[in-house]
């Protein structure tokens, strides 16, 4: 292994969930080191997190702009930054790091508006920087296999799509007297932090990104109905979709479906077969060819080739889990950065991370869904 | 056991699927005997079926009208008739038997139009006759339990509904050059026999009836998109629904989803919990109370009471299957007839069969769905 | 259809479980009619059951011997008898009907001793009568497929067997102070009625019969440990087996495993693959070829041929259930009787019911298991 | 976070599976750093692995004895060593590091004989050193919950145990002409490297350790039959067990069961209920109380307390996977070392790793199983 990359992090103090997953995923890859951070607006939390990771004290920043500038100026400055703060901060932060010549990995949804997303894309292109939007679930090994099977025509032309992403972590917000402030004191329910959508922005976009990733098709139109149950933003959504090949489908997402922890379920139907993948049992892929027995593909077996084989890290039957899925995304992203730094050519595998196009499509999808719901569920172009 | 009822059958010759299930279900109940029939327009098929069941030769009819009149005139005439022919014949047949004073059990969908359905209802009321529309799946034991739990408020107010009914038996109709005439030579794809819808009429109405039965809620509005894939009628449908309590949901049904044999899946979400039932694993009911472990109820255990206990026929762990579900419906329907003949009062259990209201709602649902799809998926009142 | 067969029943009064399943299964086949019976030693129960089935009053017998003799003497006497009483009565009853020239269908386990079983076999041969021992689960459609795949060498030479049959209906018998008399007032726990074994006799023999049926291999030796938990007979058993091809395996059966209703699970491992079948999800068969994705075969699909196709009664995805499995056994048994009466040749399909060989092997298996357990689990020849 | 621990590794070059999992697990915990190693007897592999981890060149050792001595002598020497080499080397290596005052984490099975295991125990005690034997699966979150429920008496007295650990990675070794040398050139099949058992030593001991961990019961006697299929060591085993509370059960393990990747399945039955856990779906625990619906506990929900809550790392519904299970073991082990170095008292949580007692019991179990099989499956004391 050559030199490790240096990276910094915005957000992700010690009590945060997703920032920690980013760090563990990168640690698992063993090719990048956390050297700088601005982990919290709370000075104490920020400091203690930096010390936890044994950062030099002058690289524990209280201001992300200062961090971008100073790191940019250093010889050993960070190669990329991970932005794991709430949505409303993404745009300004990402913009700032791009402007300072630093590659960006940013949580989803990317930002607040399509315009912001496109501005980030423009800037990244101009600066020749790479931009990863961490749509985690595209990193699972068997999702790679699903993509290859569908792309290779194994199920034929896609004719119907039926996906859901059901959670229940917000269900107590439906209790009498619960408000965003008291019972669900989370930023996701706050439009000033989440933007125009809670549920669709947070998890509906995962469905959209997964379908795009696996099928290569994009959502063309939506007809949606959102439910807020008295809150400001949507907690539940049912969405009809028309893809750019003309087929239809349905995306359902919810944060109030009792008994569903993180139930992302992808079902893609083609003229000759279908595939089915569940996030909660990620090492399996169901392949259903027409007029044949159903097949269960298990990660790690010799009958699996391609990218899923290339990325296989742990022998079959030993669950890889979420951190490894995340690590797969970072592996491609960091390979892309390293190889480019070294003047090496990029392979398809290197490019196999959700880039800013995923971020833009996410914004377009959320915008259209919210608009459709506001207009009586009328079909709305994405 | 007192005297058995006598019944007759229209359709259901020896090579037909659903007529046979009706007969087996009634046989399992052991309280009614097949004594007359008009099984096929093909004279040979009609005769051989009648002989198979050892009917008197003068009660093997070539014309259903003659059958209605003659049976009506007999002292020992049939108490009820089972209509198991294609849709386009239901209305005239049912009308004829009602006019002749004979109770009717009819396959779904009930007929072609809402008006026809209401005329049958009017006639049944006028003649004081009972009318069963065989929405089979309402007969499953654990569906009874689901209904009781939801009705008792165990999951709280219903806030979201997510149901699907996916099949694949028509998928070969999507092959290049396949037509309704050549590859799918079935009456369901023929509008002159099926009416305005194939897939929604055949299986979408099962979702509608199940949701009504379990929750007591009815569909108020639909926003639907149907896919015909070049055929005359729909083979696939994705439908947003609004129920009469204001909650939303989605019904998806299809005959072209590879790997799904008869995948009716009912998920009802409430403020305090949810229930989930799969037709292909009918002896189980999943109950998911919020903030609690998921519960799997298994048919036949001592912890199950109410109607599900009353109807339990085979010890737990021994699958009852479709015929018994059908038999449960017939048991209520025939009890209703018998008790009324004997001047006994009807209990809630006796009335626990899908009556003509289910048939009317089915017609209303199909009509609204087709209309919505034709009008760009606009919300359409049911 | 030609003339129906006439049959009689011993045991199976209206409150009995298994007798009713026999009757419903035969009713579903529509080729035999209940015309005589001796349903209970309780005169009132006997009479009311006979009247329920509208038997002629002189064919409701209070004594099975009288029934055997009188039916044997009648022109229209019964063609076969179903014996559904507790074990301790099987031998005398079966013997009596055989002696009177009547074919016998008898519940399992067949009797008390190997000698009795062999005497019944001798007698049946001498009288040229057919004898069915109703090992129900061999009748499931997908078990037929399992048999055909294994017999055709699809999984290669059998190298390991891992089967279990776990129930929990006796678990309350383990409570402090529970006795066979008070808490589990069932004949199965009573050695005078059950013979030398409760659990192994009742359900262990189902494993043995299924393995024999599917693989064609027979148990050669057993090393067993039985648990009685203070009761007279075994409620739990773990059994090592050696088959006649030299491979080993384990059979576990229990009536006290909480949460298992009727969990018969068959796993047969071969050099090239394995098969797995669960009684509680009987319409599926898992086929696991080495170095290939797992396959799920679903009953009723076009890719299924052979006996499983021949016996398929209800379209795929609509659970057939226990009664149909039973009906499959009776269909072969009654075809065998009818064709023999008509002088027609028997096909392999006609003979596809568990015959007296299954009954004898069951006795041999139980005897060896109990002996092994009594002798410190030493390997004991079957 | 205070100072990180330093650790070294024996074995685990870049192409090895389990060494890498150890490193990733420790990396995920972020509290120990790899600073020394002797990764391979192949000099090139050893060097490249050390360089990959950016070790000082003088801490990439070619001889483990030298490593033990030199690291022991350094001020900043390793606090513990991870031994991830084949079995035959464990004893000498572990002994050497203990003698040099270094804590040891060692792969299972611990060594070759009970005597060796006890000598290591004696030495660890004498030197006041900690010794972890990495029985991975005890680290899974829901296994902690299983243990707490069983220990708290939730399922009552344990009355039956039914466990299996089925794999298929050796199945190609059964092909005609395959030998340990040609087709399965792995050390596990080689008695000079594996010791007296392949399958039971490798995976049977996992069952034994899991049952001990969850129930607190230990295996008292075994009656076993092993199958070698022409190879030197066992590839398949079926084992009757008697636990020290007198209950019986069965452990089945195999490396040749087609379609089973890493199928460790634990079923513990008590007088009042049972628990069931599958390694391939580790975030769920099934709890089956008698006379109640089955319960599915999902990791990460608020209804889960105790150690499972304490160790929860990733929100519910996001699979944690094998690396996190491993990390849980290392977290307790490293906490134990750190706290002891700091003079802090150890809590039950700190001690919650499989210690040398697990290693000894594993040796005792394997020894008894092999002896029983050699002696005609006679019951053999552990």
């Amino acid at each position: 292994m050559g030199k490790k990359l240096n990276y910094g992090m915005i957000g992700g103090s010690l009590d945060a969930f997703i920032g920690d997953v980013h760090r563990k995923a990168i640690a698992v890859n063993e090719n990048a080191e956390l050297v700088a951070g601005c982990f919290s607006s709370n000075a104490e939390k920020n400091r203690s997190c930096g010390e936890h990771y044994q950062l030099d004290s002058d690289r524990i920043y209280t201001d992300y702009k200062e961090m971008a500038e100073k790191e940019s100026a250093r010889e050993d400055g960070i190669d990329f930054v991970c932005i794991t703060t709430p949505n409303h901060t993404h745009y300004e932060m990402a913009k700032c790091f791009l402007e300072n010549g630093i590659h960006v990995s940013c949580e989803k949804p990317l930002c607040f508006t399509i315009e912001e997303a496109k501005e980030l894309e423009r800037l990244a292109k101009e600066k020749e920087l790479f931009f990863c939007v961490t749509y985690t679930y595209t990193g699972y090994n068997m999702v790679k296999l699903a993509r290859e099977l569908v792309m290779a025509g194994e199920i034929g032309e896609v004719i119907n799509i039926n996906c859901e992403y059901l959670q229940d972590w917000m269900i107590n917000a439906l209790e009498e007297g619960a408000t965003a402030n008291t019972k669900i004191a989370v930023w996701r329910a706050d439009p000033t932090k989440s933007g125009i959508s809670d549920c669709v922005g947070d998890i509906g976009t995962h469905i959209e990104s997964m379908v795009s990733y696996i099928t290569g098709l994009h959502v063309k139109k939506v007809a949606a109905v959102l439910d807020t149950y008295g809150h400001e933003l949507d907690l539940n959504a049912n969405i009809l979709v028309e893809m750019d090949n003309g087929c239809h489908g349905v995306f359902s997402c919810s944060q109030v479906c009792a008994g569903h922890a993180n139930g992302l379920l992808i079902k893609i139907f083609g003229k000759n077969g279908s595939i089915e993948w569940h996030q909660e049992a990620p090492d399996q892929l169901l392949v259903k060819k027409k007029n044949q027995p159903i097949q269960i593909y298990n990660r790690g077996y010799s009958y699996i080739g391609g990218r899923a084989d290339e990325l296989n890290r742990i022998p079959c039957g030993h669950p890889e889990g979420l951190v490894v899925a995340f690590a797969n995304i970072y592996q491609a992203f960091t390979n892309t950065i390293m190889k480019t730094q070294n003047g090496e050519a990029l392979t398809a595998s290197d490019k196999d991370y959700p880039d800013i196009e995923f971020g833009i499509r996410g914004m377009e999808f959320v915008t259209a869904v919210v608009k459709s719901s506001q207009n009586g569920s009328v079909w709305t172009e994405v």
Side-chain angles (χ1 to χ4, degrees), chain A residues 238-268:
Chain A
N238 287 294
I239 307 164
L240 299 181
V241 297
E242 182 172 312
M243 307 304 291
D244 55 7
N245 77 337
C247 88
H248 294 109
V250 65
F251 296 177
S252 292
C253 55
S254 181
Q255 296 162 331
V256 292
C257 284
H260 292 258
N262 198 41
L264 173 60
L265 170 58
I266 304 292
K267 292 186 287 188
I268 311 287

Side-chain angles (χ1 to χ4, degrees), chain A residues 97-308:
Chain A
F97 281 86
L98 290 175
E99 286 168 345
N100 282 282
I102 293 167
H103 303 291
V104 174
S105 167
C106 184
E107 262 302 319
K108 36 54 57 182
L110 178 53
C111 46
F112 265 34
T113 67
I114 300 170
E115 292 68 34
E116 288 176 354
K118 293 201 166 164
E119 171 60 13
L120 293 177
E121 179 192 37
R122 195 198 56 73
L123 201 53
K125 263 193 193 146
E126 180 188 301
K127 298 278 188 173
E128 296 186 336
L129 292 166
F130 299 108
F131 201 113
C132 176
V133 184
T134 49
Y135 281 106
T136 324
Y137 307 120
T138 63
Y140 274 114
N141 191 293
M142 296 306 274
V143 171
K144 309 288 182 190
L145 179 62
R147 172 180 162 88
E148 285 180 3
L149 292 176
V150 174
M151 292 297 195
E154 288 287 318
I155 65 168
E157 184 190 341
V158 175
I159 57 167
N160 189 35
I161 294 175
N162 190 318
C163 297
E164 66 183 39
Y165 195 158
L166 305 183
Q167 302 180 327
D168 63 5
W169 66 287
M170 289 280 240
I171 194 167
N172 292 331
L174 302 183
E175 286 171 9
E176 201 65 43
T179 70
N181 291 333
T182 57
K183 290 280 176 60
I184 49 163
V186 292
W187 60 262
R188 290 216 183 272
D190 176 354
T192 67
K193 293 187 176 151
S194 262
I196 57 173
S197 168
D198 171 352
C199 178
V200 176
D202 186 22
I203 61 176
T205 58
H206 273 298
I207 299 178
E208 184 277 325
S209 66
M210 288 292 277
V211 169
S212 292
Y213 182 72
I214 292 171
T215 66
L217 301 174
H218 300 310
V219 179
K220 197 173 131 202
K221 299 196 291 187
V222 294
V225 59
L226 307 190
D227 297 299
T228 62
Y229 308 114
H231 290 274
E232 287 187 81
L233 295 179
D234 53 301
L235 300 179
N236 191 69
N238 287 294
I239 307 164
L240 299 181
V241 297
E242 182 172 312
M243 307 304 291
D244 55 7
N245 77 337
C247 88
H248 294 109
V250 65
F251 296 177
S252 292
C253 55
S254 181
Q255 296 162 331
V256 292
C257 284
H260 292 258
N262 198 41
L264 173 60
L265 170 58
I266 304 292
K267 292 186 287 188
I268 311 287
F269 298 99
K271 278 192 175 174
N272 297 321
S274 66
I275 61 105
E276 180 174 330
W277 181 81
H278 297 238
Q279 191 276 149
E280 297 193 12
D283 283 352
Q284 293 200 326
L285 178 72
L286 275 73
V287 178
K288 307 176 179 185
K289 302 273 181 73
K290 75 171 180 174
N291 312 324
Q292 290 183 29
I294 290 170
Q295 289 180 303
I296 306 174
Y297 281 72
N298 277 294
R299 185 187 56 73
Y301 269 92
S302 61
Y303 55 74
I304 294 176
R307 184 91 177 115

